[in-house]
């Protein structure tokens, strides 16, 4: 799966991860999943009551996101490659895929329908605030043998949506029907460990238009920078 890519659109609540993720899905012709749809109900209940999640709460959620990404890419590559993943993990993840919304899934999950030059991959929106969370998404917390057996060798890159507290708070106050409370923004900003010095990171400003954000990400991958450190380079 070295030619595939798992693209995580990350940042605190209110940055527009889902909007950018859906736009990247169309631009890159990859399926998109909102990571919030993969939260267990216990996490949703806590956040709905304004209770921040603990690292213990997040661990299984992050692992589910990684498994979902690997399963999606294996489906795109065809059944032959599924022999490299643990059957129980695959069965569990395929059930998850059936129960969540995946934009672009019909176009990308069948290897026979992909263009000859179309690389497999998936875009998932996930806050990924801490370096340790991103390590789980990269499958770095498991031994090499375990990672290969359970979660596959799938390259992972991040699109970091960066913005000021003032703009984020303004967006949060205008949102309706989202379980995240605006009062939790400061807690998220305090938790945030910037990924800008990590490899495989593209940074975009939330002040840019969605079109400009997409162009920056696409440019980075076309230039081969998606698998290397990418600093802000526009505007």
């Amino acid at each position: 799966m070295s030619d595939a890519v798992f693209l995580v659109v990350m940042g605190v609540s209110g940055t527009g991860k889902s909007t950018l993720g859906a736009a990247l899905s169309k631009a890159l012709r990859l399926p998109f999943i909102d990571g919030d749809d993969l939260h267990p109900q216990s996490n949703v209940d806590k956040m709905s009551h304004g209770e921040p999640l603990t690292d213990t709460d997040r661990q299984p959620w992050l692992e589910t996101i990684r498994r979902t990404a690997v399963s999606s890419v294996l489906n795109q590559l065809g059944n032959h490659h599924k022999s490299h993943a643990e059957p129980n993990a695959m069965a569990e993840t395929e059930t998850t895929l059936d129960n969540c919304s995946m934009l672009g899934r019909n176009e990308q999950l069948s290897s026979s329908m992909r263009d000859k030059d179309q690389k497999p991959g998936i875009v998932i929106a996930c806050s990924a605030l801490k370096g340790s969370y991103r390590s789980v998404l990269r499958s770095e917390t498991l031994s090499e043998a375990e990672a290969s057996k359970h979660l596959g060798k799938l390259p992972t890159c991040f699109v970091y949506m960066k913005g000021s507290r003032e703009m984020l708070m303004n967006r949060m106050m205008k949102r309706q029907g989202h379980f995240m409370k605006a009062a939790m923004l400061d807690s998220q900003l305090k938790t945030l460990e910037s990924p800008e010095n990590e490899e495989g990171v593209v940074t975009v400003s939330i002040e840019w238009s969605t079109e400009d954000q997409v162009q920056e990400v696409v440019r980075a991958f076309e230039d081969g920078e998606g698998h290397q450190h990418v600093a802000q380079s526009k505007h």
Side-chain angles (χ1 to χ4, degrees):
M1 290 192 290
S2 59
D3 288 336
V5 63
F6 170 24
L7 187 60
V8 181
V9 182
M10 64 157 290
V12 300
S13 186
T15 52
K17 297 185 293 292
S18 296
T19 299
L20 178 55
L24 286 170
S25 171
K26 293 180 180 179
L28 300 173
R29 293 184 295 166
L30 297 175
F32 168 70
I33 294 176
D34 191 328
D36 285 346
D37 293 339
L38 301 178
H39 268 297
Q41 188 60 43
S42 57
N43 285 2
V44 175
D45 290 343
K46 289 187 70 171
M47 291 185 287
S48 296
H49 290 90
E51 301 176 34
L53 300 180
T54 66
D55 286 357
T56 300
D57 294 326
R58 293 181 184 278
Q59 183 71 22
W61 171 57
L62 295 166
E63 291 174 352
T64 295
I65 289 175
R66 177 71 188 186
R67 284 196 302 268
T68 299
V70 171
S71 179
S72 174
V73 170
L74 288 173
N75 281 333
Q76 292 171 48
L77 290 171
N79 292 332
H80 170 74
H81 296 266
K82 290 187 179 182
S83 61
H84 297 289
E86 185 178 274
N88 290 339
M90 285 296 302
E92 175 186 346
T93 306
E94 286 172 354
T95 298
T96 302
L97 286 168
D98 289 337
N99 291 334
C100 70
S101 172
M102 182 184 284
L103 182 64
R105 184 179 180 187
N106 292 335
E107 298 177 0
Q108 293 300 324
L109 288 191
S110 172
S111 60
S112 62
M113 294 176 64
R114 292 202 323 275
D115 293 340
K116 181 178 179 180
D117 296 328
Q118 172 67 32
K119 291 185 178 181
I122 187 169
V123 181
I124 297 183
C126 172
S127 51
L129 300 180
K130 290 185 179 181
S132 59
Y133 302 163
R134 296 189 288 275
S135 291
V136 175
L137 294 172
R138 292 186 180 105
S139 194
E140 294 174 342
T141 57
L142 298 176
S143 68
E144 183 176 353
E146 288 177 324
S148 178
K149 179 180 179 182
H150 292 276
L151 300 176
K153 297 180 179 179
L154 176 62
T156 305
C157 299
F158 292 83
V159 177
Y160 172 40
M161 303 192 71
K162 184 176 182 179
S164 67
R165 179 188 181 282
E166 290 72 24
M167 178 168 286
L168 290 166
M169 183 61 72
N170 182 56
R171 289 188 177 189
M172 288 288 291
M173 297 302 293
K174 293 179 179 178
R175 299 181 74 177
Q176 300 293 329
H178 193 272
F179 52 68
M180 184 73 187
K181 304 297 183 181
M184 295 176 66
L185 177 59
D186 284 333
S187 176
Q188 284 204 353
L189 289 173
K190 183 177 180 180
T191 300
L192 175 64
E193 297 172 0
S194 174
E196 291 173 282
N197 291 323
E198 299 173 6
E199 291 187 353
V201 176
V202 180
T203 301
V204 298
S205 171
I206 66 171
E207 297 183 19
W208 303 351
S209 67
T210 301
E211 180 180 5
D212 283 344
Q213 291 170 345
V214 169
Q215 288 179 352
E216 174 67 1
V217 176
V218 171
R219 183 204 62 78
F221 278 94
E222 287 179 346
D223 291 347
E225 298 174 0
H227 295 281
Q228 303 172 11
H229 170 68
V230 182
Q232 280 184 287
S233 58
K234 283 184 63 178
H235 300 258

